Structures are given as structure tokens and as C-alpha cells.
Amino acid sequence: KQDDDQLIIDAGQKQFGATTCSSCGMVYSADNPEDHFQHTQFHQRFLDSIKFVGWKKERVVAEFWDGKILLVMPDDPKYAIKKAEEVRCVADSELGFQQVTLSRPTKAKTYLFINTERMVVGCLVAEFIRQAYRVLEQPDQQKDMTRDDFMERHRTWCCSTVPEQALCGISRIWVFSLARRQGIATRMLDTVRSTFMYGSHLTKEEIAFSDPTPDGKLFATKYSNT
Ligand code: ACO
Ligand code: ZN
């Protein structure tokens, strides 16, 4: 199953004329005028959104050779909240989330990974929760299912019905496409575990991912087992 998916993805990227912009990461076909236009529209707006100019007060919660993690709290200065929101919107549009507001904005903590080129290449939103439902391994999808069947099974297969204790819900996790597979998401989560609750270190079981995407599931499965 995995191999099939991989093949499809590769075939897509080798499409005629498809290029990946080396600064914004957008994949587009340079010789298609519409694509070209869309890229021009997207490029600068995206780079402006993830640009980090530096703040008077920064709550640095982790430092690495290739960057640092800042924590933004609900009562922080406006410039910090605004940047956190801007990056969250970038992540949301990539995730296809329509709803832009958080369920409880006053409680959410946002973690931003800033790289050495002063770009926000990672964003994680964590919220306090009481319980969560474990995502179960999904069996192969059947080919002759209707969409309703699929949605129904998807839902029932996807999550256990038994609530489990959790303390921290990850409502968003996003890493800039050109910065993936460098352990940025892993380091952001490790940092959440040690800083989310004052004075205590959360276990991996106390962290829950809400509505994970396929990428999110692959990452979460790997993270929980290591
Ligand atoms: N495919 C397979 N395995 C993966 C993938 C993937 N796409 N992404 C991560 N992993 C696994 C790997 O085992 C990886 O280790 P390795 O690189 O040594 O093999 C391990 O997880 C750790 O990965 P990181 O490098 O820490 O993860 P990364 O920084 O690349 O970020 C993320 C992962 C956040 C899922 C990123 O791919 C992303 O932003 N995707 C698009 C947005 C998205 O779907 N976010 C999740 C939404 S779910 C939610 O928000 C609750
Ligand atoms: Zn670009």
C-alpha cells in the first residue's frame, strides 16, 4: 500500500515542467501561465508571513545549532500574537482548514521554530484538554465503497470510542515544506512536553493530536513509538 502511494506522488512531481521553488517551496508548472501567476501571487506573501524580524521580548524555550523555539502565550504583546496568527493561517491554508479561529484562543500556546535565516519554519498550537480518543490503525480501504460508506467507516475505524486521559492537545503542527524531515516537529513536541505545564514533564501518552492528516499520522506514529 505504502509503495503505491509513493509511486503516485513521484509521478506527480515528475510531471512535465513541474518545478519546486527553492525559496517558497511551491510546486508549479513554469510553462503554464496560470500556474506561473499563482506562484507569483503566493511567493512574496508566503515569505512575508514567515519572516521573523526579532522581538523586544522573546520567550526562548529551546535553542539549537539550526534555530530556536519561541513560546507565544495568549497575553503576550500584540506583535507576537500577530506573528503567531499569521503563521497559523499559513499552516491552516496548507492543511485546508477553513475555520481560522481556535476553539479556546485564550488558552492556546503557540510554539514557533525560528531558523538561523530568521524564518518561522515550524508552528505548533497546543491546548489544554482532558481526554482524547486514540487513533487506530486503519485497514486498507476497499475500492467499491460509496463515499458515505467510506466516511462512516473512516470515522469508526479511525478512532477508538474509549476516551483516554490526555493533558495536552496538539491542534496544529506544521513545518515549512523545505524544512521537513530535519527533526523540527520532533523538537517542537519535545519542547512542548517539557514546557507546557509548569513544573512537570508530560509523557508521550499525555499528548494527543487532533484530526491528524496523513503526514500527521505518519509523524505521530513515529513519535509515539520512539
Ligand atoms: N512520511 C513518513 N514519515 C514521516 C513523515 C512523512 N511525511 N513526516 C515525518 N515522518 C516520521 C519519520 O519517521 C521522521 O523521522 P526520519 O525523518 O528520521 O525518517 C519522524 O517522523 C520525525 O519527523 P520530523 O522531521 O520531526 O517531522 P517534520 O519536521 O518533517 O514535520 C509534519 C512533520 C509536521 C507532519 C510535516 O510533514 C508537515 O508540516 N506536514 C504538513 C502539515 C500537516 O499535515 N501537519 C499535521 C497536521 S495534524 C495536526 O495538526 C494535529
Ligand atoms: Zn516561490
Side-chain angles (χ1 to χ4, degrees):
K1 179 129 198 317
Q2 193 87 10
D3 288 345
D4 291 354
D5 288 343
Q6 198 54 54
L7 270 177
I8 295 164
I9 293 162
D10 286 345
Q13 282 168 349
K14 286 194 191 94
Q15 222 178 39
F16 231 8
T19 356
T20 304
C21 174
S22 59
S23 5
C24 76
M26 181 171 170
V27 182
Y28 67 104
S29 161
D31 30 52
N32 175 329
E34 179 138 353
D35 257 36
H36 188 81
F37 176 72
Q38 279 199 345
H39 173 240
T40 325
Q41 290 261 311
F42 175 82
H43 185 91
Q44 200 53 49
R45 195 158 38 98
F46 176 83
L47 292 178
D48 285 346
S49 303
I50 66 165
K51 188 168 78 188
F52 180 77
V53 292
W55 298 337
K56 241 186 294 167
K57 271 194 191 166
E58 293 176 5
R59 193 181 292 104
V60 181
V61 285
E63 274 185 293
F64 307 97
W65 65 274
D66 59 344
K68 61 184 172 188
I69 298 176
L70 303 187
L71 168 58
V72 180
M73 308 269 270
D75 294 324
D76 280 356
K78 238 190 173 149
Y79 55 81
I81 301 286
K82 199 170 154 246
K83 183 54 61 177
E85 238 161 47
E86 209 176 351
V87 178
R88 188 166 50 79
C89 285
V90 165
D92 279 0
S93 71
E94 202 178 313
L95 288 167
F97 285 3
Q98 298 297 325
Q99 158 213 9
V100 178
T101 49
L102 293 166
S103 49
R104 274 167 306 166
T106 51
K107 293 266 174 61
K109 293 182 180 172
T110 305
Y111 292 79
L112 301 176
F113 191 106
I114 318 287
N115 73 5
T116 50
E117 285 156 73
R118 297 181 152 254
M119 293 194 294
V120 186
V121 294
C123 173
L124 182 156
V125 180
E127 289 169 282
F128 179 79
I129 54 165
R130 277 170 209 291
Q131 58 185 32
Y133 299 88
R134 186 164 297 279
V135 175
L136 303 174
E137 200 70 53
Q138 268 179 275
D140 278 343
Q141 292 152 17
Q142 279 152 21
K143 285 204 180 72
D144 50 1
M145 276 197 296
T146 66
R147 191 172 174 276
D148 284 351
D149 275 353
F150 174 74
M151 292 310 281
E152 187 52 39
R153 291 190 192 203
H154 190 73
R155 213 175 297 128
T156 47
W157 279 345
C158 204
C159 293
S160 146
T161 50
V162 187
E164 288 175 43
Q165 185 83 43
L167 290 167
C168 174
I170 308 298
S171 69
R172 310 279 196 297
I173 180 162
W174 169 87
V175 171
F176 176 32
S177 62
L178 299 177
R180 286 179 196 162
R181 306 302 287 270
Q182 295 168 22
I184 290 178
T186 302
R187 285 180 279 166
M188 285 198 294
L189 265 180
D190 287 344
T191 305
V192 167
R193 286 170 55 204
S194 59
T195 61
F196 184 75
M197 272 177 70
Y198 186 75
S200 82
H201 192 94
L202 298 176
T203 64
K204 287 178 180 174
E205 289 71 34
E206 287 166 326
I207 303 260
F209 293 82
S210 68
D211 270 339
T213 57
D215 266 0
K217 262 185 221 173
L218 287 166
F219 166 74
T221 312
K222 177 73 198 300
Y223 186 81
S224 318
N225 294 332
T226 47

